[in-house]
Structure formats: C-alpha cells, structure tokens
Amino acid sequence: MKKLRLSKKKQPAPSDQPHRITNDTVAEHRERILAGGRRFKYPVQYARHRLVINTLIISVIALVAVVVLIWWQLYPQQNTSTFFYRITKVVPLPVAMVDGQAVRYSDYLVGFRSQEHYLQHIENVDLYSKENKSYLDRIKRQALDDAIADGYAAKLAAKSKIKITEAQIDDAIKHQRQSRDGIISQDSYDAIVLDHFNWTPLETREVTARRLLKQEVAYSIDTAASKQRDEVVAKLKTESDFDKVAAVIPAIGSARVQSSVTPLVPVNNQDGGLAEAAAKLPIGQISQPFRSTTGDGYYIVKPLQNGNGRVSYAYIKIPLTVFDKQLELVKSKKHIDEFISIPALKTEVTNK
C-alpha cells in the first residue's frame, strides 16, 4: 500500500501574522483599521448625495404639477369651488388687469359665489342646467365687472391716498343691520348674511370696505356732480319747488339733476338713508346736500308728511357719473385684460 501524504497547513506570511501592538506600532495599527473602514464610508456618502438630488427633482416636479393643476382649474376650467376659492384667498392670483392694476381672483369669486349661493339655496334655481347657461354667464360677467371696478377704484384711491377706516366699515354694517323692527343684533346679521350670501363676518367686512372705497373715489373725482350740487343749493335759496329747480340746472354730459316725490315709507326704509334724513326735519324744511349710503350721488330731501314711523318726502338727486365714464374710457382703450373667458353682457342701444 502507498503511503498517504499528509498535507501540511500553509503557514501565513510573516507580514500577515499578527503581532503585538506597542507604543511604537499603535499609529500603524490605527491607520490599518481606518483604511479598512473607508471602503464602507464613501459609498454611503455617494448614496446620500444622490438621495438629496432625487428628492429635489421630485419636489420640483410635484410643485410644477400643483401649479399647473391650479392654473388649469382656475383659468381654463373656471373652477369656483370652496377649495380653489380658499387658494385664491391665500395666493393673490389675478383674474384681470385694469390700467396696470391687478384684480384679485378672490374678489371675483366672492361676488360670484354669493349670487350663486343665493340663487341655488334661497331661490332654488338650478344655475348649471342647460337652459340657465346664459343666466350663469350673466352672473359671472357682473361679478367680474364689479371686481374690475373695485380694482380700478383701488388704483385711483392709492393715487389720491384715499383710505377707508374701520369706523366707516362699522357704521356701514350698522346701517345694514337696520330693519323695519329696529336694529338687529350683530350675531343675527352675521347669520342672515351667511345664510343668504355665504359670507363670513370677515368676508362681509372686506366686501363692505371695497364698496366704501369705490364710493369715496367716485365722490372724490366727480367734479361735475360737485358743480351741479352747488348750483342746486344756490337755486334753492330763491325757489323751493324741487321740480322747477331740477329743470333749470343744466346737464353735464349724461349727468342730469333729477327730482321726485315718494309715498309714505318707513323711517328706516332701505333707500340710501333718504327717509331717515327726511324724518329728522320739520315738514317743509329743506336739508343740506348729503351722500346716500348707496353711493350713487348727492341728495337733498324735504319731508312732506311724517308720523307713526312713516315719512313721505320730495328729493333732488345729483348723480355720480365720472367714475363710470373713466372706467368705460379705460375699457375702450383696451387697458383691461381679462384672464378668464366670460361673454360680455348684451346692452340695448337707445337713440338719444
């Protein structure tokens, strides 16, 4: 039998054999350990770098997608839902530009949504039916025109440094709280506004502030109305008949002084404060010119009958026309850019 050779175990090279760590070799040993760990360190750094880049790319793509979605829903689709309305309240997106002044999309939506809510929930009108499409377009057109007018008023107000105070807003809302049974509480008023127009108290104040600002601007720039007002006051010193006074005051463009007589109405009648002003005067006494709370012009009243909470009066109206004329001029010069497509209102042409 052949003898089996027993293989000898290979001895490690002298350089691979462990050796004792001494003060003289501790630095060499530490470097050997660190060198072995570097191969695990650099791949982790590389992966983290790629992770940051990928996260940034995904975030940018997501942001672009959200912006495109919001743009698509608000402008081509004209989405008027509460969600997108809230977005326009936070982000000041424009719905139009009037003479270089941005018109906020939220100002348009707050007007349109109030009418939409009233007609659908109070009047039970199906605005989104086929037969009511033209009616829906008309409401949108009116809301956009109102927002553009408010934007133009804001531009003129900034130029003339006209501002509305909180006290003016409080007074206007207090006047709106008047009813035939007296002044209703603020909570009741807020509940009625929310039920009819879907406005929160803050939205009510914002809408009221814009309406008051537009009125202040309209009175400020209307020199024609101011001139006619002064002429009426001068004429009333020698003539007390309102019809005769209104007839002799020359018109300025389309601004014509008007006169009329009302039947007996409640003292707190919603007529721009005319009945309230007349009720404070003795029968036959002529008031000083004052601005109506509706902001449509100057008025002079003369009470004819007064009693039992009701009053009848004659009045002279000096209308405001300059603001509307200026806005029409801006529109005719094509200085209004609308970012949503809404058909224009059809107006009847009358021969002068």
Side-chain angles (χ1 to χ4, degrees), residues 81-92:
S81 66
T82 301
F83 175 75
F84 285 97
Y85 167 61
R86 296 304 176 194
I87 290 178
T88 61
K89 292 288 289 183
V90 176
V91 184

Side-chain angles (χ1 to χ4, degrees), residues 199-218:
W199 286 343
T200 65
L202 179 59
E203 289 170 335
T204 301
R205 293 186 68 85
E206 291 174 349
V207 172
T208 302
R210 289 198 298 272
R211 177 175 61 82
L212 291 175
L213 185 65
K214 180 182 173 183
Q215 290 179 13
E216 288 293 328
V217 169

Side-chain angles (χ1 to χ4, degrees), residues 303-337:
L304 304 177
Q305 299 181 56
N306 192 352
N308 298 322
R310 301 176 73 82
V311 62
S312 171
Y313 58 90
Y315 68 87
I316 291 178
K317 176 184 178 181
I318 302 98
L320 301 179
T321 59
V322 172
F323 180 85
D324 291 337
K325 286 180 179 179
Q326 288 191 7
L327 186 56
E328 284 297 322
L329 182 61
V330 170
K331 186 175 181 180
S332 66
K333 291 182 177 180
K334 301 186 183 302
H335 290 174
I336 297 178
D337 297 319

Side-chain angles (χ1 to χ4, degrees), residues 80-90 104-115 117 150 166 169 172-173 176 186 189-212:
T80 61
S81 66
T82 301
F83 175 75
F84 285 97
Y85 167 61
R86 296 304 176 194
I87 290 178
T88 61
K89 292 288 289 183
V90 176
R104 288 178 60 107
Y105 209 121
S106 59
D107 292 348
Y108 157 69
L109 285 181
V110 76
F112 168 74
R113 283 166 52 85
S114 68
Q115 293 301 312
H117 179 85
D150 289 343
E166 293 295 322
I169 299 174
I173 291 178
Q176 294 171 13
Q186 185 66 50
Y189 172 78
D190 292 339
I192 293 172
V193 172
L194 182 63
D195 180 61
H196 282 65
F197 303 110
N198 200 27
W199 286 343
T200 65
L202 179 59
E203 289 170 335
T204 301
R205 293 186 68 85
E206 291 174 349
V207 172
T208 302
R210 289 198 298 272
R211 177 175 61 82
L212 291 175

Side-chain angles (χ1 to χ4, degrees), residues 58-325:
I58 293 173
S59 299
V60 170
I61 293 175
L63 179 60
V64 171
V66 170
V67 170
V68 171
L69 175 63
I70 293 174
W71 171 84
W72 175 258
Q73 288 295 321
L74 287 177
Y75 294 99
Q77 296 298 313
Q78 297 183 30
N79 193 318
T80 61
S81 66
T82 301
F83 175 75
F84 285 97
Y85 167 61
R86 296 304 176 194
I87 290 178
T88 61
K89 292 288 289 183
V90 176
V91 184
L93 298 173
V95 71
M97 294 287 292
V98 51
D99 203 21
Q101 175 75 23
V103 180
R104 288 178 60 107
Y105 209 121
S106 59
D107 292 348
Y108 157 69
L109 285 181
V110 76
F112 168 74
R113 283 166 52 85
S114 68
Q115 293 301 312
E116 177 192 45
H117 179 85
Y118 179 82
L119 291 170
Q120 287 189 320
H121 295 82
I122 305 300
E123 299 292 338
N124 295 318
V125 177
D126 184 6
L127 280 177
Y128 294 93
S129 62
K130 291 183 180 180
E131 57 269 19
N132 285 330
K133 186 180 184 305
S134 60
Y135 191 24
L136 178 64
D137 289 340
R138 185 178 184 85
I139 296 172
K140 288 184 176 182
R141 181 75 259 171
Q142 187 62 58
L144 182 58
D145 288 345
D146 290 344
I148 290 174
D150 289 343
Y152 185 59
K155 174 184 173 65
L156 298 181
K159 184 178 180 180
S160 302
K161 298 181 179 180
I162 299 175
K163 295 182 179 179
I164 298 300
T165 65
E166 293 295 322
Q168 288 176 286
I169 299 174
D170 291 337
D171 290 341
I173 291 178
K174 182 178 179 181
H175 190 271
Q176 294 171 13
R177 287 165 49 198
Q178 290 183 349
S179 67
R180 294 185 177 182
D181 299 326
I183 299 179
I184 63 176
S185 68
Q186 185 66 50
D187 290 340
S188 298
Y189 172 78
D190 292 339
I192 293 172
V193 172
L194 182 63
D195 180 61
H196 282 65
F197 303 110
N198 200 27
W199 286 343
T200 65
L202 179 59
E203 289 170 335
T204 301
R205 293 186 68 85
E206 291 174 349
V207 172
T208 302
R210 289 198 298 272
R211 177 175 61 82
L212 291 175
L213 185 65
K214 180 182 173 183
Q215 290 179 13
E216 288 293 328
V217 169
Y219 281 112
S220 175
I221 66 176
D222 204 322
T223 55
S226 299
K227 180 180 179 180
Q228 289 178 324
R229 176 200 60 196
D230 295 341
E231 290 176 351
V232 168
V233 171
K235 189 65 177 177
L236 285 172
K237 293 179 179 179
T238 58
E239 178 60 67
S240 61
D241 189 309
F242 279 14
D243 291 339
K244 292 181 179 180
V245 171
V248 298
I249 302 299
I252 302 178
S254 61
R256 298 177 180 276
V257 177
Q258 306 164 19
S259 64
S260 187
V261 175
T262 70
L264 283 170
V265 296
V267 172
N268 54 8
N269 190 45
Q270 297 296 324
D271 54 8
L274 274 66
E276 182 180 358
K280 296 177 181 179
L281 298 173
I283 300 298
Q285 182 173 331
I286 299 174
S287 73
Q288 293 297 316
F290 62 92
R291 299 177 178 183
S292 71
T293 58
T294 56
D296 60 342
Y298 297 99
Y299 284 85
I300 297 175
V301 297
K302 179 174 64 175
L304 304 177
Q305 299 181 56
N306 192 352
N308 298 322
R310 301 176 73 82
V311 62
S312 171
Y313 58 90
Y315 68 87
I316 291 178
K317 176 184 178 181
I318 302 98
L320 301 179
T321 59
V322 172
F323 180 85
D324 291 337
K325 286 180 179 179

Side-chain angles (χ1 to χ4, degrees), residues 3-52:
K3 293 183 179 181
L4 298 175
R5 292 183 180 182
L6 298 177
S7 61
K8 295 182 180 181
K9 184 179 292 185
K10 185 178 180 181
Q11 297 296 326
S15 60
D16 296 335
Q17 292 180 358
H19 53 80
R20 293 182 61 188
I21 301 174
T22 64
N23 291 336
D24 297 332
T25 61
V26 64
E28 179 185 353
H29 182 75
R30 181 173 63 249
E31 181 60 28
R32 186 184 300 113
I33 297 299
L34 291 176
R38 288 191 184 101
R39 62 192 180 94
F40 299 102
K41 176 182 178 182
Y42 290 121
V44 171
Q45 286 183 334
Y46 176 75
R48 183 180 301 169
H49 181 67
R50 288 300 300 266
L51 179 62
V52 171

